[in-house]
Amino acid sequence: MVNQKLRHLFSVGFISCCFCLGIGIGIVIRFGQMQRSDAATTPTESLQLPFVLPENQANPSDTITIKAVGDVIPGTNYPNYRLPRFRDELLPKSVRGYLQGADILFGNFESSLTNYPYSAKDVSQGQTFAFRSPPDYAQLFADVGFDVMNVANNHAMDFGPIGFRDTVKNLAAVGIETLGHKNQILYLQANNIPVAMIGFTTYDLYNSVNDLEAAKALVLEAKNNANIVVVSMQVGAEGTGALRVKNETEYFYGENRGNSLKFARTMIDMGADLVIGHGPHVPRAIEIYKGKLIAYSLGNFLGYRTLSTAAETGYSMILEAKLNSKGDLLFSKIIPVHLDKQGIPRIDQRFRTVGLLRYLNKKDFPDNQVKINKKGEIVVMNTQ
């Protein structure tokens, strides 16, 4: 697909990030205007995932399509070398095809794009990991068409403030915006519709899900300046024991990982139109709340020789959501993906993620009006 991005840069504030040792860095975040042409279409026919829109669909020029994936780690060269021979191997052509056709393509980046040699973590301790990927890997994601990467997560500072700054700089150099900086609202023009995006996680270094008052203020400000507000949240415990959505604070190795249900619903209450979750490394249920879509976790998307692919950690997806210029959800679906043993995503003809989500939805939201059919389409049932 031919991507044409016209970026009008302006400063909307100074974003300060301070490292746990008291080291501070300042970053002026750029906000852009993106324009795209749909020279290629998503090859949904081969996967038998028909693109069916409701009868009351708005004019296509009055809509945007957002596609989102979960956690992304494109291999690491620290503390040992775990990278593919060629970086293009990380995203097979079949998967790339399904990432096309979006006005905004989003992912959660959980590595550092830096050559800085010193990690901020002691990886000799159990369950402590630091990931570092070559800076030129940013071009891989630009070639695929990613527009925004979340960097508010527990691996963004694996190589301290220098590694973090390098990651932001290297993504910006190939036209990819970064999301989740403290007090940041990222404004975009997608298909001539003003869109605001805000990223949250569980650490005060970034926008915190545990500071609801500050979060609500950001969403209110965004809603006053954009037609559509998208919230990204890195929240919840991790692993196959963390599949369920609970209305309670979750903990992982003693660390407060927030209350995903309370946070997501509060963001919708304040004006958010779409909430995208990631971090648990497994898929979680999908909810329609007040007519808005909440995807509680998209799971792992790419974890070359870094992330577990056992059981449900290997279940993944591409979430597609079409909204009109008022933020109303018109259509959404799950494109099922499965990670191979190396952590490389493959389109899943067995639809395992779809089956898992249908099961989780029945367990976590049995009375909710959202259903997922066998083709992965998210159907809002008529409750009248």
Side-chain angles (χ1 to χ4, degrees):
M1 183 170 89
V2 178
N3 294 326
Q4 296 177 340
K5 300 183 179 178
L6 304 176
R7 300 191 175 273
H8 301 291
L9 307 180
F10 59 97
S11 174
V12 295
F14 188 79
I15 299 160
S16 61
C17 299
C18 50
F19 182 50
C20 60
L21 295 178
I23 304 173
I25 60 173
I27 304 171
V28 176
I29 297 301
R30 304 179 303 116
F31 300 97
Q33 179 175 16
M34 71 179 65
Q35 300 291 336
R36 287 173 173 266
S37 63
D38 294 328
T41 58
T42 305
T44 50
E45 293 81 8
S46 63
L47 191 59
Q48 297 180 335
L49 289 173
F51 192 83
V52 181
L53 291 175
E55 293 181 2
N56 63 348
Q57 177 204 353
N59 188 309
S61 64
D62 194 39
T63 67
I64 66 166
T65 296
I66 299 171
K67 291 187 178 181
V69 300
D71 305 317
V72 174
I73 304 176
T76 184
N77 54 22
Y78 182 92
N80 45 46
Y81 192 88
R82 282 177 276 174
L83 297 173
R85 183 177 179 185
F86 303 106
R87 71 185 185 205
D88 283 353
E89 297 174 16
L90 295 169
L91 292 173
K93 290 183 179 180
S94 61
V95 171
R96 296 185 189 203
Y98 286 95
L99 296 172
Q100 304 305 303
D103 297 294
I104 298 175
L105 180 59
F106 169 84
N108 177 45
F109 195 73
E110 290 210 316
S111 185
S112 299
L113 293 168
T114 184
N115 290 318
Y116 187 67
Y118 306 111
S119 174
K121 294 180 176 179
D122 181 1
V123 296
S124 66
Q125 298 180 8
Q127 298 299 314
T128 302
F129 305 97
F131 302 121
R132 184 182 65 190
S133 307
D136 64 10
Y137 274 33
Q139 189 61 51
L140 167 67
F141 300 104
D143 291 345
V144 172
F146 278 91
D147 300 295
V148 182
M149 284 288 195
N150 175 70
V151 292
N153 56 56
N154 55 320
H155 288 289
M157 295 291 287
D158 280 1
F159 285 79
I162 295 176
F164 180 82
R165 185 173 63 239
D166 286 348
T167 302
V168 172
K169 178 188 70 176
N170 288 317
L171 288 170
V174 295
I176 298 175
E177 302 284 359
T178 50
L179 186 68
H181 306 276
K182 190 77 168 181
N183 299 321
Q184 177 208 25
I185 301 173
L186 175 63
Y187 291 102
L188 305 169
Q189 286 281 338
N191 202 17
N192 295 317
I193 298 173
V195 178
M197 300 184 72
I198 314 172
F200 297 87
T201 186
T202 54
Y203 307 105
D204 290 335
L205 180 65
Y206 314 97
N207 299 318
S208 174
V209 300
N210 295 315
D211 188 347
L212 279 180
E213 293 307 310
K216 289 191 290 185
L218 281 172
V219 171
L220 278 175
E221 180 182 346
K223 196 64 175 179
N224 287 331
N225 292 287
N227 290 34
I228 297 171
V229 176
V230 180
V231 166
S232 159
M233 60 175 188
Q234 166 103 359
V235 60
E238 300 181 15
T240 54
L243 285 163
R244 304 292 299 276
V245 176
K246 303 174 183 178
N247 189 13
E248 61 185 45
T249 300
E250 298 180 55
Y251 293 88
F252 187 68
Y253 284 96
E255 185 177 78
N256 184 327
R257 291 293 183 91
N259 182 327
S260 61
L261 188 143
K262 181 179 180 180
F263 177 79
R265 288 183 175 180
T266 301
M267 295 303 96
I268 299 294
D269 291 340
M270 301 309 296
D273 299 295
L274 174 66
V275 178
I276 300 169
H278 40 79
H281 296 297
V282 290
R284 284 186 170 184
I286 287 175
E287 180 185 21
I288 297 292
Y289 175 72
K290 295 186 176 180
K292 307 297 184 179
L293 179 65
I294 302 172
Y296 281 95
S297 176
L298 303 184
N300 296 327
F301 181 69
L302 170 63
Y304 185 77
R305 297 180 62 192
T306 52
L307 296 175
S308 171
T309 62
E312 291 89 354
T313 60
Y315 287 45
S316 184
M317 70 181 90
I318 301 167
L319 174 69
E320 178 176 329
K322 181 180 284 286
L323 294 82
N324 66 17
S325 61
K326 297 179 181 179
D328 300 323
L329 181 66
L330 300 177
F331 174 81
S332 54
K333 69 178 177 183
I334 300 299
I335 299 171
V337 172
H338 198 268
L339 273 60
D340 66 18
K341 292 181 179 180
Q342 293 278 74
I344 294 175
R346 312 282 181 182
I347 297 299
D348 185 20
Q349 300 290 348
R350 294 170 59 186
F351 283 67
R352 280 168 283 190
T353 304
V354 172
L356 175 62
L357 288 178
R358 296 177 76 200
Y359 168 79
L360 291 174
N361 268 28
K362 289 179 180 178
K363 291 291 185 180
D364 294 343
F365 304 105
D367 299 324
N368 195 253
Q369 69 268 33
V370 65
K371 304 295 179 184
I372 303 172
N373 67 24
K374 293 181 179 180
K375 297 177 181 178
E377 298 163 344
I378 299 169
V379 181
V380 179
M381 306 300 291
N382 188 345
T383 57
Q384 296 181 350

